[in-house]
Amino acid sequence: MDEKKVMLSGIQPSGDLHLGNYLGAIKNWAERAESFDCYYFMADMHTITVRQNPADLRRRTLEQLAQYIACGLDPEKNTLFIQSHVPAHAELGWVLNCYTMFGELSRMTQFKDKSAKHKDNINGGLFTYPALMAADILLYQPDYVPVGEDQKQHCELTRDVAQRFNHIYGDVFKIPEPYIPKAGARVMGLTAPDSKMSKSIPEGCVFLMEKPEDIQRKFKRAITDSDTENCVRYAPAEKPGVANLMNIYSAVTGRTMEEIEAEFAGQGYGKFKPAVGDAVIETLRPIREEAQRILKDKAYLESVYKAGAEKASYVANKTLRKVYKKIGFVAR
Ligand code: TYM
């Protein structure tokens, strides 16, 4: 029997999950859960590169797990775990730090963005974060890493580091491919379609657990464009706001841009924006309701993350032992 291909990804519980996380990453994970051996985690160790409120971090980590499950990631079929529960991440992270170059890390756009935003806390972890991310990935020898467009650069660095390591020590790591969706890879902010949707601009960001009326209000206020055409036409350079709404609508309904143009021909933005809002609301409604239900069952959540950490540790430790042996550490 052929072995299943392996998929792995993670999200930082540094804020509430939003539509960008869902369309860029989680939706893709859930749709492929049956055909792959999947590992998904809450990247709590990454979040402390920026100062966090401890109580909020703890709460959001568990909420994120409930939302993963509510999005269709069945814990029986997927390994769901909390990054800090698998110490091999920190251990391989240190090793890979020593195989990742200063120049490579300096070129990472996420580092440049975050150090511009948090000028008073440009710490070592923020800079070496991609080496920890490489460890997160390479420990599980995945074939694919399903992420949004913004994580492509980190995935490419991971491949470079893995290749460098393999070149010195032989075939230790599988070289993974980023797996980026066609629609939804880069969801832009509703109030500023020139920057990606992120929790830092809450008015332009739709959260998975948000109330339908709040979601609809955000879509009705979404920036379309400054022309007077008032026509739903896919032209990303001229009409970035409209293109973003069309991308979102396409990602949640599965319709193509041509089908969307035809559906709204002659109707203008006044009809289009609430229709996108409704489609998003209906996509998120069952997720929100299910996540609220699961969140009440703390014992269940605990059983999921404990079993997940055990399964993940088994796989991760195998890779770590191999790495330690190759680099010359004495076996424990
Ligand atoms: P993070 O936590 O910023 O985002 C999690 C996932 O959501 C995607 N995403 C988006 N996709 C489309 N449009 C958007 N506006 C949008 N915003 C976020 C991201 O591309 C990502 O897939 N470094 C990672 C977390 C991480 C990780 C890993 C991922 C740590 N270790 C190992 C994969 C494998 C991060 O900061 O993603």
Side-chain angles (χ1 to χ4, degrees):
M1 202 180 84
D2 277 351
E3 289 219 345
K4 275 187 175 178
K5 298 255 188 212
V6 177
M7 268 202 172
L8 166 132
S9 199
I11 298 184
Q12 299 192 54
S14 50
D16 294 330
L17 289 179
H18 57 72
L19 192 62
N21 299 136
Y22 178 69
L23 297 179
I26 310 174
K27 181 167 179 283
N28 223 351
W29 308 351
E31 281 167 2
R32 278 150 195 85
E34 296 291 333
S35 34
F36 291 88
D37 183 13
C38 300
Y39 298 83
Y40 297 118
F41 62 98
M42 280 57 76
D44 57 348
M45 291 166 69
H46 285 271
T47 67
I48 61 163
T49 53
V50 170
R51 210 66 76 221
Q52 302 291 329
N53 173 304
D56 287 345
L57 177 58
R58 223 180 323 269
R59 173 183 56 76
R60 280 196 308 257
T61 304
L62 293 180
E63 283 175 2
Q64 192 169 309
L65 175 60
Q67 289 169 46
Y68 278 7
I69 301 170
C71 286
L73 298 174
D74 178 350
E76 299 290 325
K77 296 186 184 143
N78 300 270
T79 305
L80 308 179
F81 65 99
I82 299 173
Q83 185 188 24
S84 62
H85 290 186
V86 182
H89 288 247
E91 297 179 71
L92 185 65
W94 169 251
V95 173
L96 295 184
N97 253 312
C98 304
Y99 294 82
T100 309
M101 300 302 134
F102 183 89
E104 288 175 315
L105 293 169
S106 316
R107 286 194 288 278
M108 295 295 113
T109 36
Q110 188 165 336
F111 171 70
K112 289 188 209 162
D113 290 350
K114 286 203 173 169
S115 48
K117 247 188 230 160
H118 304 277
K119 282 206 171 57
D120 52 341
N121 184 22
I122 307 177
N123 58 72
L126 191 66
F127 187 64
T128 60
Y129 167 122
L132 178 60
M133 177 158 162
D136 298 338
I137 296 172
L138 298 175
L139 280 172
Y140 300 89
Q141 310 280 3
D143 297 276
Y144 301 109
V145 181
V147 285
E149 183 76 44
D150 63 331
Q151 292 301 317
K152 197 171 163 205
Q153 197 186 29
H154 288 159
C155 291
E156 277 162 3
L157 178 63
T158 300
R159 288 166 60 89
D160 292 345
V161 172
Q163 270 156 352
R164 179 173 304 140
F165 197 92
N166 285 353
H167 187 69
I168 307 172
Y169 300 104
D171 254 354
V172 177
F173 297 124
K174 185 176 269 178
I175 309 299
E177 298 272 346
Y179 191 96
I180 295 171
K182 280 203 181 71
R186 196 168 169 77
V187 179
M188 309 308 276
L190 298 184
T191 49
D194 53 343
S195 54
K196 69 171 182 178
M197 179 176 283
S198 95
K199 60 177 190 305
S200 54
I201 308 178
E203 264 317 292
C205 183
V206 172
F207 296 97
L208 259 52
M209 300 300 279
E210 210 162 22
K211 289 201 225 85
E213 53 273 30
D214 293 338
I215 297 180
Q216 191 54 275
R217 177 177 45 81
K218 288 181 180 177
F219 276 100
K220 283 189 178 154
R221 288 191 193 155
I223 301 278
T224 39
D225 52 60
S226 50
D227 66 20
T228 50
E229 193 185 28
N230 196 20
C231 161
V232 179
R233 182 166 65 80
Y234 191 65
E238 282 165 65
K239 297 151 78 83
V242 175
N244 184 40
L245 291 172
M246 290 178 79
N247 264 322
I248 293 174
Y249 194 65
S250 168
V252 295
T253 62
R255 285 172 214 165
T256 63
M257 295 307 163
E258 295 75 38
E259 286 167 342
I260 299 170
E261 285 173 0
E263 184 180 346
F264 294 97
Q267 294 195 46
Y269 306 142
K271 282 267 164 45
F272 177 54
K273 290 200 282 186
V276 182
D278 284 340
V280 169
I281 288 167
E282 289 322 312
T283 302
L284 298 185
R285 188 189 305 280
I287 297 174
R288 190 186 69 244
E289 290 173 358
E290 181 65 357
Q292 281 165 342
R293 191 188 65 74
I294 298 170
L295 249 185
K296 291 195 189 114
D297 194 347
K298 293 284 184 291
Y300 170 68
L301 283 176
E302 188 178 325
S303 72
V304 169
Y305 68 67
K306 284 200 164 155
E310 204 173 305
K311 272 171 73 188
S313 294
Y314 178 79
V315 178
N317 287 334
K318 242 163 74 177
T319 304
L320 187 69
R321 276 198 300 275
K322 202 166 167 187
V323 168
Y324 276 8
K325 191 170 173 196
K326 290 281 185 188
I327 56 182
F329 289 177
V330 174
R332 285 181 229 193

